[in-house]
Amino acid sequence: MASMTKDKLFKSTEAGRNSKSDNTTNASRAIIDAEVSAREKKTERLRKLRLEQEAQAEIAGEAAEPVKKPSKKPAAKKAPAPRRAMTQRPR
């Protein structure tokens, strides 16, 4: 009879087994990586366009002024209405 070793008798369970949590983790990491890649591409594209626009403004003789965002001032609080004195009713 052929020699029996543990490799021939028992199947390896680690090589082919992926749990549901492993599959979920891999799927979520793939989605997150795709989002990060898309965000970085968009940022690079917008940065390139902004630099080109600033360069064209300098060529045209206009000084490139930074865009100021309007400040959000908190709304003024209204004074509370004066409270009326409560009178006690006779019992």
Side-chain angles (χ1 to χ4, degrees):
M1 189 151 116
S3 66
M4 293 189 194
T5 63
K6 67 177 184 175
D7 295 332
K8 292 181 181 178
L9 292 175
F10 303 106
K11 294 181 182 178
S12 174
T13 58
E14 294 178 11
R17 186 173 76 181
N18 283 334
S19 66
K20 287 185 180 182
S21 63
D22 291 338
N23 292 338
T24 303
T25 301
N26 292 337
S28 65
R29 286 183 180 165
I31 291 169
I32 291 170
D33 290 343
E35 290 174 351
V36 168
S37 175
R39 184 178 66 236
E40 288 174 351
K41 279 183 177 180
K42 181 178 179 181
T43 301
E44 186 62 31
R45 179 180 58 87
L46 292 173
R47 180 179 292 131
K48 182 180 176 184
L49 289 173
R50 179 179 48 85
L51 292 174
E52 287 176 2
Q53 187 178 19
E54 288 175 356
Q56 289 176 358
E58 286 181 10
I59 291 173
E62 301 172 0
E65 296 180 18
V67 178
K68 294 183 180 179
K69 294 183 180 179
S71 63
K72 293 184 179 180
K73 295 182 181 177
K77 293 184 179 179
K78 294 183 180 179
R83 293 186 172 200
R84 297 188 327 197
M86 295 183 64
T87 58
Q88 293 183 352
R89 295 183 186 171
R91 295 185 188 188

